[in-house]
């Protein structure tokens, strides 16, 4: 301080220099320092976006994360170019969350920002907008020499995007107009491009001028128009949509001009009506969100059953002591109404609430239900929504007009500033975990931290909780509330396991279906009931095999078999998308004895269509739900009863609620149980219980048929009794003896590269370095994952198992240090190394 006082001029100049840290959506583990042009000093705020130069050729948008006066000491900071917001788009709490996520999941904050910000709010370095030639000035003496001195000084002193000043000072000069123009145009274009996506959508409407709003006048008007039938038509149409005769206040709503155009009313008549001051044309801001433009009749009523009410009170009691409550309620127990009733309390008190659902479950049913209760305060955040729609939700949350968000995992990254309650429904779902790109976060676990940052409460709900959450509840870390009865008249369906070995021996199996399953299906169809058939494999047949030489159709790029898709007569790789025409003879020995092995949803669809030619059958899997509304259409058709049999992958296990389903068939239970993963049994049990839960949800009694060649497996003993807890206890012992979660923490390191050798050797070296630091008990030897090659890239994995309480942060630093060391070796520089904390 005393030094500053020595020289007022120096003090003055120092005082004026502001710097900002800008967080950029790039995978570099730091923020960048930029200088603030003087004219922006009073506008800078933490959380607003800035356009900045990045590298020599690019400009990108980032978010200001700090403001200070310390010039970087190892380089000269460039000027930021432009500010994009008047108000923060990233909240203080979000920065905290970003920081935690980047730390915990071993990603950079830029990577977190990148998945968090909808692309409508950012221009990534990928857009490769070149600031040509201005940013290359110093590198390009030729261009440099062409620019006036004044311009050069300005560029050096003021930063590039004082472009208005830039224009002002240089307007009179004739030289390098071209260069200036180029520069100006590019920056302006960029800003417009960014702001365009951010602009509200408007709609032109028509309404009657006030003078005509009384009945006598209106009658008068109609008589006047009697000789101008086209104009009269327009007026009549207007009165049909807006009955101002009955209620003149309705005139305020007006009618969208586009409606008249769509219905081919005469445009010139409309314009005459406007010109003659009969109609008034005006503009309103509308939402990009379809559901917000639809009127719902509000109905705040939520009536809970006594059991639901008790459960809600219990959760409130838990919240007096704990921040997290696990709601273990069987399928159909009515968990949703309990959430909604708790959420309503929060919204009414003026705070925000977040309701997370696994990807697929956001249906029209759900949207209508919450819109009825909460009206326009609801924002829906989903990957199938457009960018502009997502930006609108983002803005609404930041500004506080949206207080209730219902969304998928990325909605935990929205700019809440006043969050009081988070609900994670179906918390066991693995779709809460992001695989690629980094950050590989689990939204359920991140929700715990988000709740903590906001001092909010969290409910985790499931009929089949994850072992991690159940363990936390059993050991008292979370509160536990249990619902053991279905809402209303529903009862849990009876489950029967079909012993496929015996059935096959007795020749009671046709294709892949036992006679009992087919007979039961037939009988339910005759009664007019509906059925769900579950098989966790899409396509027709998982592979094609030659019976003569044993050859199997494999992908050229990946170490997996190609799936046969009958409808396109193609073999497809589900990992890289590779496809080829299905061969008619073996590619190895040319024998024509090719047989399809195993079966997927597509084959089941074909088979059942043969068995039940008069029944409408639909299939729901990744292949049939690629379009925005296709999922919804399938659901609606099943809901209306038009479709009688719905066949599907795990998509049909989640949260669907249909009254008329009396039969659920699980065609191949073994496939799920024998997957090489320590969670396979947990998953299989969850999936079978969840899909069983789709039957018998109303007064109709349901039944579940499970086909297995391993009917003595202990899993079934528990499943038949719906004994979630018993099976959990059994599994927990196994997890304990083999030291798996919830008893340890896992970090998975994946090395990827185009050369199998270098991947293998790199993994070996990394392993040796890691056991030196963490001991050989904690680091498992490198191994090939089940699919060791994808898109011609070889994979090797190293798993790290840490006992609870083992210092995590220092371990992560050690891991990163070992990886950096490995990559210093030129042989391994090209390896990609991926960290996955708490892999699923
Ligand atoms: P869960 O999510 O626990 O499997 P749901 O929330 O889907 O169960 O509820 C099952 C069915 O019962 C749904 O059709 C739902 O609309 C209905 N239901 C649940 N609670 C109520 C309630 N309090 N009032 C009216 N209907 C309810
Ligand atoms: Zn062959
Ligand atoms: Zn492939």
């Amino acid at each position: 301080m005393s030094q500053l006082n020595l020289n007022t001029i120096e003090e003055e100049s120092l005082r004026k220099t502001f710097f900002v840290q800008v967080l950029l959506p790039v995978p570099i583990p730091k923020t960048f320092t930029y200088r603030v042009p003087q004219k922006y000093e009073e506008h800078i705020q933490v959380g607003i976006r800035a356009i900045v130069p990045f590298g020599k050729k690019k400009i990108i948008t980032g978010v200001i994360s700090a403001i200070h006066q310390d010039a970087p000491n190892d380089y000269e900071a460039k000027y930021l170019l432009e500010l994009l917001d008047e108000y923060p788009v990233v909240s203080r709490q979000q920065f905290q969350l970003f920081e935690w996520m980047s730390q915990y999941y071993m990603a950079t904050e830029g990577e977190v920002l990148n998945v968090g910000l909808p692309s409508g709010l950012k221009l990534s370095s990928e857009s490769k907008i070149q600031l040509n030639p201005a940013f290359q000035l110093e590198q390009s003496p030729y261009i440099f020499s062409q620019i006036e001195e004044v311009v050069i000084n300005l560029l050096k002193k003021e930063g590039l995007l004082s472009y208005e000043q830039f224009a002002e000072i240089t307007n009179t000069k004739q030289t390098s107009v071209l260069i200036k123009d180029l520069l100006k145009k590019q920056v302006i274009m960029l800003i417009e491009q960014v702001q365009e996506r951010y602009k509200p959508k408007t709609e032109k409407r028509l309404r009657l001028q006030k003078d005509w709003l009384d009945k006598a006048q209106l009658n008068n008007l109609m008589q006047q128009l009697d000789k101008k039938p086209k104009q009269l038509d327009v007026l009549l149409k207007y009165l049909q949509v807006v009955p101002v005769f009955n209620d003149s206040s309705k005139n305020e709503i007006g009618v969208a001009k586009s409606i008249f155009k769509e219905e081919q009313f005469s445009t010139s008549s409309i314009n005459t009506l406007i010109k003659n001051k009969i109609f008034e044309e005006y503009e309103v801001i509308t939402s990009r969100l379809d559901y917000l433009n639809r009127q719902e009749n509000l109905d705040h009523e939520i009536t809970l059953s006594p059991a639901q009410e008790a459960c809600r009170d219990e959760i409130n009691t838990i919240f007096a002591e704990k921040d997290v409550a696990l709601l273990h309620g069987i399928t159909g127990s009515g968990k949703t109404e309990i959430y909604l009733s708790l959420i309503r309390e929060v919204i009414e008190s003026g705070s925000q609430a977040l309701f997370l659902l696994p990807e697929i479950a956001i249906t029209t049913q759900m949207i209508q239900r919450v819109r009825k209760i909460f009206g326009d305060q609801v924002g829906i955040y989903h990957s199938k929504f457009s960018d502009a729609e997502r930006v609108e939700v983002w803005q609404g949350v930041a500004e506080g007009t949206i207080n209730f968000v219902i969304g998928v995992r990325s909605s935990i990254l929205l700019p809440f500033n006043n969050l009081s309650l988070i609900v994670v429904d179906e918390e066991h779902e693995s779709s809460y975990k992001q695989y690629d790109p980094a950050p590989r976060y689990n939204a359920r676990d991140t929700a715990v931290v988000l709740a903590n940052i906001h001092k909010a409460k969290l409910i985790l709900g499931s009929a089949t909780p994850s072992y991690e959450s159940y363990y936390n509840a059993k050991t008292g870390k979370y509160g536990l509330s249990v619902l053991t009865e279905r809402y209303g008249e529903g009862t849990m369906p009876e489950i029967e396991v079909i012993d496929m070995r015996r059935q096959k021996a007795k020749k009671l199996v046709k294709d892949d279906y036992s006679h009992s399953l087919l007979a039961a299906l037939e009988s339910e169809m005759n009664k007019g009931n509906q059925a769900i058939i579950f098989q966790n494999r899409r396509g027709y047949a998982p592979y094609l095999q030659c019976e003569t030489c044993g050859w199997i159709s494999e992908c050229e790029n990946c170490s997996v078999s190609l799936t046969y898709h009958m409808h396109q007569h193609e073999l497809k790789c589900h990992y890289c998308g590779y496809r080829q025409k299905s061969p008619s003879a073996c590619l190895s020995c040319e024998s024509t004895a090719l047989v399809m092995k195993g079966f997927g949803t597509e084959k089941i669809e074909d088979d059942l269509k043969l068995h039940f030619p008069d029944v409408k059958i639909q299939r729901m899997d990744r292949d049939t739900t690629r379009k925005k509304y296709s999922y919804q259409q399938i659901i609606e058709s099943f809901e209306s009863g038009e479709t009688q049999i719905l066949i599907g992958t795990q998509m049909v296990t989640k949260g669907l609620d249909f009254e008329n389903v009396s039969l659920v068939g699980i065609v191949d239970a073994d496939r799920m149980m024998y997957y090489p993963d320590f969670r396979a049994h947990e998953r299989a049990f969850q999936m079978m219980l969840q899909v069983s839960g789709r039957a018998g949800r109303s007064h109709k009694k349901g039944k579940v048929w499970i086909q297995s060649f391993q009917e003595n497996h202990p899993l079934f003993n528990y499943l038949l009794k719906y004994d979630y807890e018993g099976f959990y206890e059994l599994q927990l012992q196994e997890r304990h003896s083999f030291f798996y979660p919830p008893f340890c923490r896992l970090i998975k390191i994946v090395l990827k590269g185009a050369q199998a050798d270098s991947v293998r050797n790199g993994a070996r070296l990394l392993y040796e370095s890691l056991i030196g630091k963490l001991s050989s008990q904690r680091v498992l030897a490198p191994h090939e994952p089940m699919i060791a090659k994808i898109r011609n890239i070889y994979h090797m994995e190293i798993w790290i198992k840490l006992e609870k309480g083992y210092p995590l942060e220092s371990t992560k630093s050690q891991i990163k240090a070992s990886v950096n060391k490995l990559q210093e070796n030129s042989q391994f520089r090209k390896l990609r190394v991926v960290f996955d904390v708490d892999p699923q």
Side-chain angles (χ1 to χ4, degrees), residues 545-552 585-594:
Q545 189 167 34
C546 167
E547 294 221 297
T548 314
C549 76
W551 170 86
I552 288 176
C586 171
L587 296 187
S588 173
C589 75
E590 294 179 8
S591 148
T592 51
L594 290 178

PDB file of all heavy atoms in Angstrom, residues 545-552 585-594, ligand 2:
ATOM      1  N   GLN A 545     -23.814 -67.259 -36.596  1.00  0.00           N
ATOM      2  CA  GLN A 545     -22.706 -68.204 -36.486  1.00  0.00           C
ATOM      3  C   GLN A 545     -22.795 -69.258 -37.592  1.00  0.00           C
ATOM      4  O   GLN A 545     -23.887 -69.659 -37.998  1.00  0.00           O
ATOM      5  CB  GLN A 545     -22.732 -68.888 -35.120  1.00  0.00           C
ATOM      6  CG  GLN A 545     -21.479 -69.715 -34.866  1.00  0.00           C
ATOM      7  CD  GLN A 545     -21.355 -70.126 -33.411  1.00  0.00           C
ATOM      8  OE1 GLN A 545     -22.351 -70.370 -32.734  1.00  0.00           O
ATOM      9  NE2 GLN A 545     -20.123 -70.207 -32.927  1.00  0.00           N
ATOM     10  N   CYS A 546     -21.604 -69.699 -38.049  1.00  0.00           N
ATOM     11  CA  CYS A 546     -21.548 -70.749 -39.057  1.00  0.00           C
ATOM     12  C   CYS A 546     -21.537 -72.092 -38.342  1.00  0.00           C
ATOM     13  O   CYS A 546     -20.689 -72.348 -37.504  1.00  0.00           O
ATOM     14  CB  CYS A 546     -20.292 -70.593 -39.913  1.00  0.00           C
ATOM     15  SG  CYS A 546     -19.955 -72.043 -40.942  1.00  0.00           S
ATOM     16  N   GLU A 547     -22.488 -72.944 -38.663  1.00  0.00           N
ATOM     17  CA  GLU A 547     -22.570 -74.237 -37.981  1.00  0.00           C
ATOM     18  C   GLU A 547     -21.478 -75.188 -38.458  1.00  0.00           C
ATOM     19  O   GLU A 547     -21.153 -76.155 -37.788  1.00  0.00           O
ATOM     20  CB  GLU A 547     -23.948 -74.866 -38.210  1.00  0.00           C
ATOM     21  CG  GLU A 547     -25.041 -74.072 -37.562  1.00  0.00           C
ATOM     22  CD  GLU A 547     -26.084 -74.945 -36.895  1.00  0.00           C
ATOM     23  OE1 GLU A 547     -26.734 -75.713 -37.616  1.00  0.00           O
ATOM     24  OE2 GLU A 547     -26.221 -74.846 -35.653  1.00  0.00           O
ATOM     25  N   THR A 548     -20.912 -74.926 -39.630  1.00  0.00           N
ATOM     26  CA  THR A 548     -19.881 -75.808 -40.161  1.00  0.00           C
ATOM     27  C   THR A 548     -18.524 -75.547 -39.504  1.00  0.00           C
ATOM     28  O   THR A 548     -17.883 -76.454 -39.007  1.00  0.00           O
ATOM     29  CB  THR A 548     -19.757 -75.627 -41.693  1.00  0.00           C
ATOM     30  OG1 THR A 548     -21.072 -75.618 -42.235  1.00  0.00           O
ATOM     31  CG2 THR A 548     -18.920 -76.716 -42.313  1.00  0.00           C
ATOM     32  N   CYS A 549     -18.097 -74.250 -39.475  1.00  0.00           N
ATOM     33  CA  CYS A 549     -16.756 -73.992 -38.954  1.00  0.00           C
ATOM     34  C   CYS A 549     -16.742 -73.175 -37.663  1.00  0.00           C
ATOM     35  O   CYS A 549     -15.693 -72.942 -37.071  1.00  0.00           O
ATOM     36  CB  CYS A 549     -15.894 -73.294 -40.015  1.00  0.00           C
ATOM     37  SG  CYS A 549     -16.301 -71.543 -40.202  1.00  0.00           S
ATOM     38  N   GLY A 550     -17.911 -72.723 -37.212  1.00  0.00           N
ATOM     39  CA  GLY A 550     -17.945 -72.000 -35.933  1.00  0.00           C
ATOM     40  C   GLY A 550     -17.668 -70.507 -36.058  1.00  0.00           C
ATOM     41  O   GLY A 550     -17.667 -69.784 -35.065  1.00  0.00           O
ATOM     42  N   TRP A 551     -17.478 -70.021 -37.277  1.00  0.00           N
ATOM     43  CA  TRP A 551     -17.220 -68.593 -37.492  1.00  0.00           C
ATOM     44  C   TRP A 551     -18.366 -67.745 -36.943  1.00  0.00           C
ATOM     45  O   TRP A 551     -19.520 -68.106 -37.031  1.00  0.00           O
ATOM     46  CB  TRP A 551     -17.053 -68.353 -38.995  1.00  0.00           C
ATOM     47  CG  TRP A 551     -17.014 -66.903 -39.400  1.00  0.00           C
ATOM     48  CD1 TRP A 551     -15.934 -66.091 -39.421  1.00  0.00           C
ATOM     49  CD2 TRP A 551     -18.123 -66.101 -39.852  1.00  0.00           C
ATOM     50  NE1 TRP A 551     -16.282 -64.841 -39.844  1.00  0.00           N
ATOM     51  CE2 TRP A 551     -17.630 -64.810 -40.121  1.00  0.00           C
ATOM     52  CE3 TRP A 551     -19.490 -66.351 -40.050  1.00  0.00           C
ATOM     53  CZ2 TRP A 551     -18.427 -63.764 -40.575  1.00  0.00           C
ATOM     54  CZ3 TRP A 551     -20.300 -65.312 -40.500  1.00  0.00           C
ATOM     55  CH2 TRP A 551     -19.764 -64.024 -40.763  1.00  0.00           C
ATOM     56  N   ILE A 552     -18.000 -66.596 -36.327  1.00  0.00           N
ATOM     57  CA  ILE A 552     -19.006 -65.670 -35.783  1.00  0.00           C
ATOM     58  C   ILE A 552     -18.834 -64.313 -36.443  1.00  0.00           C
ATOM     59  O   ILE A 552     -17.714 -63.845 -36.632  1.00  0.00           O
ATOM     60  CB  ILE A 552     -18.842 -65.530 -34.251  1.00  0.00           C
ATOM     61  CG1 ILE A 552     -19.315 -66.812 -33.554  1.00  0.00           C
ATOM     62  CG2 ILE A 552     -19.622 -64.333 -33.714  1.00  0.00           C
ATOM     63  CD1 ILE A 552     -19.102 -66.811 -32.061  1.00  0.00           C
ATOM     64  N   ALA A 585     -23.555 -66.561 -47.045  1.00  0.00           N
ATOM     65  CA  ALA A 585     -22.714 -67.723 -46.753  1.00  0.00           C
ATOM     66  C   ALA A 585     -21.616 -67.309 -45.782  1.00  0.00           C
ATOM     67  O   ALA A 585     -21.304 -66.134 -45.646  1.00  0.00           O
ATOM     68  CB  ALA A 585     -22.087 -68.255 -48.041  1.00  0.00           C
ATOM     69  N   CYS A 586     -21.040 -68.300 -45.100  1.00  0.00           N
ATOM     70  CA  CYS A 586     -19.987 -68.043 -44.117  1.00  0.00           C
ATOM     71  C   CYS A 586     -18.811 -67.334 -44.783  1.00  0.00           C
ATOM     72  O   CYS A 586     -18.368 -67.716 -45.865  1.00  0.00           O
ATOM     73  CB  CYS A 586     -19.530 -69.363 -43.519  1.00  0.00           C
ATOM     74  SG  CYS A 586     -18.063 -69.200 -42.480  1.00  0.00           S
ATOM     75  N   LEU A 587     -18.319 -66.284 -44.137  1.00  0.00           N
ATOM     76  CA  LEU A 587     -17.220 -65.519 -44.715  1.00  0.00           C
ATOM     77  C   LEU A 587     -15.892 -66.263 -44.553  1.00  0.00           C
ATOM     78  O   LEU A 587     -14.879 -65.901 -45.113  1.00  0.00           O
ATOM     79  CB  LEU A 587     -17.113 -64.146 -44.074  1.00  0.00           C
ATOM     80  CG  LEU A 587     -18.303 -63.207 -44.300  1.00  0.00           C
ATOM     81  CD1 LEU A 587     -18.009 -61.826 -43.754  1.00  0.00           C
ATOM     82  CD2 LEU A 587     -18.679 -63.140 -45.777  1.00  0.00           C
ATOM     83  N   SER A 588     -15.911 -67.357 -43.783  1.00  0.00           N
ATOM     84  CA  SER A 588     -14.686 -68.106 -43.572  1.00  0.00           C
ATOM     85  C   SER A 588     -14.645 -69.371 -44.438  1.00  0.00           C
ATOM     86  O   SER A 588     -13.688 -69.618 -45.153  1.00  0.00           O
ATOM     87  CB  SER A 588     -14.566 -68.443 -42.079  1.00  0.00           C
ATOM     88  OG  SER A 588     -13.497 -69.285 -41.860  1.00  0.00           O
ATOM     89  N   CYS A 589     -15.725 -70.185 -44.405  1.00  0.00           N
ATOM     90  CA  CYS A 589     -15.685 -71.450 -45.146  1.00  0.00           C
ATOM     91  C   CYS A 589     -16.728 -71.533 -46.259  1.00  0.00           C
ATOM     92  O   CYS A 589     -16.868 -72.557 -46.919  1.00  0.00           O
ATOM     93  CB  CYS A 589     -15.858 -72.624 -44.187  1.00  0.00           C
ATOM     94  SG  CYS A 589     -17.555 -72.835 -43.606  1.00  0.00           S
ATOM     95  N   GLU A 590     -17.477 -70.464 -46.430  1.00  0.00           N
ATOM     96  CA  GLU A 590     -18.487 -70.381 -47.487  1.00  0.00           C
ATOM     97  C   GLU A 590     -19.665 -71.339 -47.337  1.00  0.00           C
ATOM     98  O   GLU A 590     -20.497 -71.466 -48.241  1.00  0.00           O
ATOM     99  CB  GLU A 590     -17.849 -70.518 -48.877  1.00  0.00           C
ATOM    100  CG  GLU A 590     -16.948 -69.331 -49.162  1.00  0.00           C
ATOM    101  CD  GLU A 590     -16.267 -69.413 -50.511  1.00  0.00           C
ATOM    102  OE1 GLU A 590     -16.608 -70.307 -51.295  1.00  0.00           O
ATOM    103  OE2 GLU A 590     -15.392 -68.574 -50.764  1.00  0.00           O
ATOM    104  N   SER A 591     -19.727 -72.003 -46.218  1.00  0.00           N
ATOM    105  CA  SER A 591     -20.900 -72.844 -45.963  1.00  0.00           C
ATOM    106  C   SER A 591     -22.125 -71.946 -45.836  1.00  0.00           C
ATOM    107  O   SER A 591     -22.033 -70.802 -45.407  1.00  0.00           O
ATOM    108  CB  SER A 591     -20.683 -73.628 -44.659  1.00  0.00           C
ATOM    109  OG  SER A 591     -21.908 -73.845 -44.012  1.00  0.00           O
ATOM    110  N   THR A 592     -23.283 -72.472 -46.225  1.00  0.00           N
ATOM    111  CA  THR A 592     -24.481 -71.651 -46.095  1.00  0.00           C
ATOM    112  C   THR A 592     -25.242 -71.958 -44.812  1.00  0.00           C
ATOM    113  O   THR A 592     -26.330 -71.435 -44.582  1.00  0.00           O
ATOM    114  CB  THR A 592     -25.437 -71.870 -47.286  1.00  0.00           C
ATOM    115  OG1 THR A 592     -25.629 -73.267 -47.424  1.00  0.00           O
ATOM    116  CG2 THR A 592     -24.878 -71.255 -48.545  1.00  0.00           C
ATOM    117  N   ALA A 593     -24.643 -72.793 -43.972  1.00  0.00           N
ATOM    118  CA  ALA A 593     -25.315 -73.163 -42.721  1.00  0.00           C
ATOM    119  C   ALA A 593     -25.117 -72.077 -41.660  1.00  0.00           C
ATOM    120  O   ALA A 593     -24.495 -72.299 -40.630  1.00  0.00           O
ATOM    121  CB  ALA A 593     -24.788 -74.508 -42.223  1.00  0.00           C
ATOM    122  N   LEU A 594     -25.655 -70.870 -41.941  1.00  0.00           N
ATOM    123  CA  LEU A 594     -25.535 -69.778 -40.972  1.00  0.00           C
ATOM    124  C   LEU A 594     -26.760 -69.773 -40.062  1.00  0.00           C
ATOM    125  O   LEU A 594     -27.884 -69.831 -40.543  1.00  0.00           O
ATOM    126  CB  LEU A 594     -25.444 -68.437 -41.702  1.00  0.00           C
ATOM    127  CG  LEU A 594     -24.149 -68.169 -42.472  1.00  0.00           C
ATOM    128  CD1 LEU A 594     -24.233 -66.823 -43.172  1.00  0.00           C
ATOM    129  CD2 LEU A 594     -22.948 -68.217 -41.545  1.00  0.00           C
TER     130      LEU A 594
HETATM  131 ZN1  LIG B   2     -17.963 -71.370 -41.782  1.00  0.00          ZN
END
